[in-house]
Amino acid sequence: MASNSVALNSTVPQSKPPQRRQLSTLRRAFLNLPSNAFQNRSLNCEIGFRGAGVVKASAAATEPKVARDFTTAEEGRILRVGLICGGPSAERGISLNSARSVLDHIQGDDLNVSCYYIDSNLKAYAISPAQVYSNTPADFDFKLESLAQRFNSLSDFAEHLATSVDIAFPVIHGRFGEDGGIQELLEKSNIPFVGTPSNECRKAFDKHDASLELAKQGFITVPSFPLHGSELEETELSAWFTNNNLDVKQGKVVVKPTRAGSSIGVTVAYGVTDSLAKASAIISEGIDDKVLVEIFLEGGIEFTTIVLDVGSGFDCQPVALLPTEVELQSHSIVDSSEKDIIFNYRRKYLPTQQVAYHTPPRFPEDVIRNIRNGASLLFERLGLRDFARIDGWFLPPSVHSAYLTGDKFGKSESGTIVFTDINLISGMEQTSFLFQQASKVGFSHSNILRTVIQRACLRFPNLCQYSMLSSPLRTKSSQINKAFPDHQDVRKVFVIFGGDTSERQVSLMSGTNVWLNLQAFDDLEVIPCLLAPTNGYSSNLGADKMGASSRTVWSLPYSVVLRHTTEEVLDACIEAIEPVRAALTSHLRSQVMDDIMEGLKKHDWFKGFDITDDLPKRYSLDQWIKQAKEVGATVFIAVHGGIGEDGTLQSLLEDEGVPHTGPGVMASKTCMDKVATSLALQNLVEYGVLTITKDVRRKEDLLKMPQLDSWHELTSKLKCDTLCVKPARDGCSTGVARLCCDGDLAVYVKALDSSLPRIPSNSLLKAHGVIEMPIPPPELLIFEPFIETDEIIVSSQLSAGNTHNLLWKGESRWVEITVGVIGKRGSMRSLTPSITVKETGDILSLEEKFQGGTGINLTPPPLSIISNHALEKCKQRIELIANTLKLEGFSRIDAFVNVDSGEVLIIEVNTVPGMTPSTVLIHQALAEQPPVYPHRFFRTLLDLASERSS
C-alpha cells in the first residue's frame, strides 16, 4: 500500500454550528434509510483501508453536536479546541480513554473540537473525532495511515495548530504529555493550552526532582535513591539501605520509573539485589532510563486529590477537592502469585475487587483539611496551572515514620501526610478521580471540563472574550420520584446495570456510558440504577420471577455511579446513607464548594454547580418497576447475562407495561440458551446460515466421569480434534475456552469443581490469556468443535511504505466476525461487521471484547480479506438470523463468515451487548456515513424502545 503521509499546510475544515435536531431526525439515522444506506461509503478517499472505503480526517463529516442552551459572548464565534492524545508512553491507551471521555462531554454549539494523535514515534496526525473511539493503540496505529493525515514534522503540526485552534487541550499521559514536551512545542508557537507550562512540568514530572523540590519547600518526603541507566551501583545502593536501617537482603522498597507516570512499572522489591534486578527490567523494557528506589510506607494509606485553579489570569488560586482514599484488598483474597498488592496500572484503570475508593477519605477531619491545604500549597509553590492530581500517603500515629525527612508541613497528632506523585494531566476516563471528586462537590463531567478550559482561557487575553457557559445549567438529580424539571416534553429514562454474573463489571461500564451519553439530551431525565449483587447467583436459565422481583435496585446519585465495580457502588450506597458519614460528607462538600465559589463567583461565565447532593435510594425490583410505570419511564437495560438477558427482567417490565430497550421475553430466552438458538436457526441452511453441532453435559456428570473417557466420547461424537467449551446459559466471554487434550479438560473441570473465579493465563496446552469463570459454576456446559480460522496478525512494524502490515494467509477462508443489528421486529438491519483479531490465544477475552486498551477490530473488514459481494451476502444472512429470532431494538451477533461465499456459521446472539466506550458497536455505528456518534446511537436505541411500546 502506498504511503498516505501528507503535509497539512492549511486548516482542517471545521464543522458549521449545528441546528437543533428534531427527534425524528435521530430516528431516521437508522430507521428510515434505504437498505443500502448501511453500506460503508468512501468520501473523497483515494487510498482505502487495504482496499476498503474509509474516511480520512480532512474529509470526514464531523459530528453535529447535540443542541444545548449555550451561546457565545460574541455572536458567531465558536471556541476551537484542539484535543491532543496518544503519546509514546505505555499509558497511551489510557490517553485514548481520556480523549473519548473529554470529547463526549465538551461538545456543544459554542465549542468545536478538532482531534490530533501523537504516535509512539512522536509523529503527529490530524484525525476525525470518530477515530478517537478506536479501542487500543494497536487498533488505532494500524488504521492511521489510511484514516488520518500525518504532518511532516512536529513543527508543521504546531504551525497547523496556530491557525486552526484557539486553545489546545493535551490529554497525553506520561512522557511527552506531562514532562513538558508537548507544552514546550505549544509555547514556541504561542499556542494557548490547558495545563501547566513546560518548565514547571519538567520539574514536577520527574519524581526525584519533585521530591527534592518538595523537601526544599518544607514538605515531608520519603527517602529515595536514584539509579541511572548503566550506572546501577550496588555499593552505593547498599550504603543507602544501611543508612535507612533497611536490611540489604530483605529490606522492603518500592522501585519505580522517575518519568513514567504514577502507575507504569511500579513494583515492590526486597533487598539490594532484587531492587537492582527490577530497576534493570524497567530500563531494559524501555519504560525509563532513570529509576527511583524508595522506602515502602508500610502501614500507610494511599490517597489522591484533584486540585482546581479558580484564579484569574496568572493569579493562581488553587482549591483542592475532596481527597479519595485508596483502599487495597477490600473485597478479595490476594492472588498467591502476587506477594504485595500495590496501586498499580491494572488496579487503577480496570475493574478489580482488590481496590475500593472512599471520597472523602475515612481519615480524621483535621487530616483531610491538612491534605487539602497541603495539596493547594504544593500546586501554587510548584507553579502548576488549571488542574492537576496529587497523590500521597497518610501514616496514622501508630506507624513508624522516623525515617521521613522534613517537618514544616504534614505532621500532626493525627498522623503524617506525605505527598509523593504529581500528575500534570490526570486521567480523564469516565470514572476517573477527576470526575469522582468533581461530582462530589457539584460538577458534572461537562461542567468541570468546561470550567477547566474556561479557566485556561483567562490566561490568554485574546481568549477572554469567550464565555461558554452563558446560560443556567440544568441540575442533574438521581431521585426517581423527583418532580420533572421545568422543561417541556421531558421524559424519564432509567438505565439499569449491575447484577450477579461475571460480566457485572462490564455491565457497570456499559450502563455508565449509556447514562452519561444520554445526558446530552435536554428532553431526557436520565437516572442510573444498580441491580444490586446478591451473595451469589445461579447461571441457570429461567430465574423465578417472584424471587427476582424482590431483588434490590438502588437509584444512584451522580457521584456514586463513578466506580470500577458493582460491589464498590453498593458499598458506596450503604456508606452514603450512614447518618454520621452523610453528615460529614455534606459538611466537607460545603467547605469545598464555598472555596470554589470564592474564586469563580466573579466570572459571569460560571453559572454554578449542576449536581445535586442526593442520597441513594433503595427499592425492591418490583417497587422500582412500579415507579418506572408511575413516572412513565423507559428502561434502558444494560444488565449483561442473568435476569437482564434471559427474559426475566423483560417479563417483569412487560407485565407492568413499562417500555424497555432490546428484544422481548421469548427472543431473550432463546438467545440466552445457546442450544435453543441453534435449534431456532437450524432450518436456514439452504439460505447460507449454518449452526455448530453441540453436546450439552451436566457439571456433575463431568466431575464423576474420568476425564480421558469424557474427552474420547466428546471428540468422537462431535468428530473433531479440539473442543470449545462454554456455559450453556451465560454471557459471551465468561467460561469460554479452547481444549486441545484431556489434560485441558481436566484443568477446566477442576476449575468448575473448585469454583475458581478465573483460570490463570497459559494453564492449558495452547497459549491463552486469563479465562474468567462464572461464580458459582454453571450446571450445564456446551461442548462443540473448535472452529479453526487463519490467524490475522496486525504488524506493529512499519514497512518501507510507512504503513502497518496486515498478515492473513487465508487458507481456511473463514474469519470470525461480530456485528450489531438494529431496528424494529421483522425489519432488523445489519451494521457493518467487524473482523475480530485476538491478541492472546484463540478465544477473545473479556477485556479484549469490552475494555479500552486491549483488542483490535477491523471495521469495516478489509477488502484484502473479504470482498464487498461476500460482505453484502453476510449482512443479508445476519439480518435473516435477527428476524428469524424475532429480535428488536438492538443485539449483537457473533459468527464465522466464509470470505468467498458470505456463508455464516453462527456462534451466539447477545441481546444485551456491551455498550462500553470502546465496544465494537460504537465502531460500527461510527463506520456509517455520516458517522453516528455514541450519544446519537444510544438515543436511537431508546427511541426504538419507546416507539415499540406505543
Side-chain angles (χ1 to χ4, degrees), residues 511-737:
T512 301
N513 190 40
V514 171
W515 161 62
L516 288 172
N517 272 281
L518 287 180
Q519 287 196 80
F521 296 93
D522 289 336
D523 64 330
L524 299 178
E525 180 78 1
V526 190
I527 298 97
C529 305
L530 173 74
L531 176 63
T534 59
N535 293 329
Y537 83 99
S538 172
S539 58
N540 292 333
L541 190 65
D544 179 69
K545 283 176 62 176
M546 294 300 295
S549 65
S550 63
R551 292 281 299 273
T552 299
V553 177
W554 290 83
S555 168
L556 302 175
Y558 195 109
S559 63
V560 170
V561 187
L562 306 178
R563 298 294 190 275
H564 287 93
T565 69
T566 54
E567 291 80 7
E568 192 188 339
V569 174
L570 180 58
D571 287 346
C573 287
I574 295 169
E575 185 178 85
I577 61 176
E578 196 278 319
V580 175
R581 177 70 175 174
L584 176 62
T585 300
S586 179
H587 167 64
L588 295 173
R589 169 189 165 102
S590 296
Q591 289 182 348
V592 177
M593 293 174 76
D594 288 345
D595 291 344
I596 292 171
M597 283 303 298
E598 183 65 30
L600 295 181
K601 65 183 180 182
K602 54 182 169 287
H603 304 299
D604 59 5
W605 51 263
F606 183 68
K607 296 302 178 183
F609 305 100
D610 60 337
I611 300 296
T612 58
D613 190 14
D614 295 330
L615 294 177
K617 190 167 184 179
R618 180 175 179 168
Y619 299 86
S620 70
L621 181 55
D622 184 57
Q623 292 171 333
W624 179 80
I625 291 173
K626 284 180 167 56
Q627 280 283 347
K629 181 179 182 178
E630 183 178 329
V631 301
T634 300
V635 172
F636 201 118
I637 300 175
V639 178
H640 301 314
I643 71 168
E645 207 162 349
D646 68 7
T648 302
L649 182 56
Q650 291 80 359
S651 178
L652 291 167
L653 291 167
E654 290 175 16
D655 285 349
E656 292 292 335
V658 176
H660 63 83
T661 55
V665 177
M666 292 311 300
S668 297
K669 283 184 177 179
T670 300
C671 295
M672 185 65 163
D673 187 330
K674 297 175 177 69
V675 174
T677 304
S678 291
L679 291 174
L681 300 173
Q682 64 182 356
N683 295 325
L684 299 181
V685 175
E686 61 182 297
Y687 299 104
V689 175
L690 312 176
T691 58
I692 304 173
T693 305
K694 293 175 170 58
D695 187 89
V696 181
R697 296 291 173 104
R698 294 178 58 82
K699 181 190 70 173
E700 291 179 4
D701 295 336
L702 289 170
L703 293 175
K704 293 176 182 176
M705 191 171 180
Q707 303 310 318
L708 183 59
D709 292 346
S710 294
W711 178 260
H712 287 315
E713 188 175 298
L714 286 165
T715 52
S716 297
K717 184 174 180 180
L718 296 172
K719 298 180 174 60
C720 61
D721 295 323
T722 61
L723 299 170
C724 181
V725 60
K726 61 184 72 172
R729 297 159 181 171
D730 209 323
C732 59
S733 302
T734 307
V736 182

Side-chain angles (χ1 to χ4, degrees), residues 109-126:
D109 288 349
D110 56 342
L111 184 151
N112 184 76
V113 184
S114 299
C115 299
Y116 304 93
Y117 180 75
I118 308 293
D119 72 9
S120 56
N121 297 313
L122 294 183
K123 293 176 181 174
Y125 296 81

Side-chain angles (χ1 to χ4, degrees), residues 333-532:
I333 300 172
V334 181
D335 191 300
S336 60
S337 66
E338 198 161 6
K339 186 175 181 180
D340 293 286
I341 292 295
I342 58 174
F343 192 41
N344 60 15
Y345 179 85
R346 180 179 178 82
R347 294 188 183 88
K348 185 171 290 187
Y349 296 115
L350 296 176
T352 170
Q353 291 185 60
Q354 292 181 357
V355 180
Y357 304 120
H358 304 276
T359 309
R362 300 166 302 176
F363 302 159
E365 190 172 346
D366 65 316
V367 171
I368 297 174
R369 182 171 57 251
N370 286 340
I371 289 173
R372 293 191 60 231
N373 291 339
S376 298
L377 181 63
L378 187 156
F379 187 99
E380 185 174 13
R381 293 266 181 95
L382 295 184
L384 311 187
R385 291 290 181 264
D386 300 332
F387 77 116
R389 194 186 87 236
I390 298 173
D391 303 337
W393 292 78
F394 166 57
L395 281 67
S398 58
V399 174
H400 174 70
S401 59
Y403 53 83
L404 298 176
T405 59
D407 56 7
K408 291 184 182 179
F409 185 89
K411 286 187 177 180
S412 70
E413 291 183 0
S414 298
T416 304
I417 298 165
V418 184
F419 294 108
T420 55
D421 289 283
I422 302 163
N423 303 273
L424 288 311
I425 300 179
S426 176
M428 285 169 273
E429 67 279 2
Q430 289 181 339
T431 58
S432 66
F433 292 121
L434 170 65
F435 299 125
Q436 285 185 30
Q437 295 182 19
S439 64
K440 275 289 185 183
V441 296
F443 284 104
S444 67
H445 286 63
S446 177
N447 197 3
I448 187 64
L449 288 171
R450 284 168 161 262
T451 297
V452 167
I453 294 171
Q454 189 74 67
R455 169 62 188 96
C457 287
L458 297 179
R459 291 201 307 279
F460 306 96
N462 62 319
L463 297 183
C464 290
Q465 62 184 319
Y466 293 101
S467 183
M468 295 183 295
L469 305 180
S470 56
S471 67
L473 297 170
R474 198 176 111 206
T475 301
K476 297 174 175 63
S477 171
S478 71
Q479 292 304 316
I480 287 177
N481 54 4
K482 179 176 177 284
F484 287 113
D486 296 329
H487 199 291
Q488 214 170 22
D489 298 326
V490 169
R491 60 187 172 113
K492 293 273 190 179
V493 180
F494 293 178
V495 180
I496 186 166
F497 46 84
D500 289 301
T501 77
S502 53
E503 292 186 314
R504 63 192 179 279
Q505 316 308 359
V506 176
S507 172
L508 174 60
M509 296 167 68
S510 292
T512 301
N513 190 40
V514 171
W515 161 62
L516 288 172
N517 272 281
L518 287 180
Q519 287 196 80
F521 296 93
D522 289 336
D523 64 330
L524 299 178
E525 180 78 1
V526 190
I527 298 97
C529 305
L530 173 74
L531 176 63

